[in-house]
Amino acid sequence: MRKNTWQLQEAKSKFSQLIDKAMHDTPQFVTKHGKQAVVVLSYETYQTFVHPSNNLVEFFASSPLVGDSEKPLTFEREKDHPRPIDL
């Protein structure tokens, strides 16, 4: 078992230690009945998921594929007609 994986009973009995490790080390995984159940992570790590440093437009603009003439992005629209729908 990984160092950052806890069984539910152990996580409950050592909750303070679990929180400290999540805050100062890496996200901690808790299992229930042998299956992954939850992830405990620091507030700072959580904020990076909720509020990324750039928006979607900036993300695509900074792509390594922008301006790459060897692998240009091509988009083709499907010429098929839509399937019939019974209303």
Side-chain angles (χ1 to χ4, degrees), residues 38-58:
V38 297
V39 178
V40 180
L41 44 95
S42 69
Y43 184 74
E44 290 79 20
T45 303
Y46 167 76
Q47 287 292 18
T48 63
F49 291 118
V50 175
H51 302 290
S53 61
N54 58 1
N55 63 32
L56 188 60
V57 173
E58 292 169 341

Side-chain angles (χ1 to χ4, degrees), residues 8-77:
L8 179 59
Q9 287 301 106
E10 182 185 17
K12 286 166 55 175
S13 66
K14 298 179 180 178
F15 190 67
S16 292
Q17 185 179 352
L18 171 76
I19 297 300
D20 287 340
K21 284 189 164 282
M23 288 175 58
H24 300 104
D25 196 11
T26 60
Q28 303 295 303
F29 300 89
V30 180
T31 62
K32 184 175 182 179
H33 303 297
K35 295 181 181 179
Q36 295 288 343
V38 297
V39 178
V40 180
L41 44 95
S42 69
Y43 184 74
E44 290 79 20
T45 303
Y46 167 76
Q47 287 292 18
T48 63
F49 291 118
V50 175
H51 302 290
S53 61
N54 58 1
N55 63 32
L56 188 60
V57 173
E58 292 169 341
F59 172 78
F60 283 117
S62 65
S63 168
L65 297 176
V66 170
D68 188 354
S69 60
E70 291 182 23
K71 297 179 184 178
L73 295 175
T74 57
F75 300 98
E76 293 183 19
R77 184 174 182 173

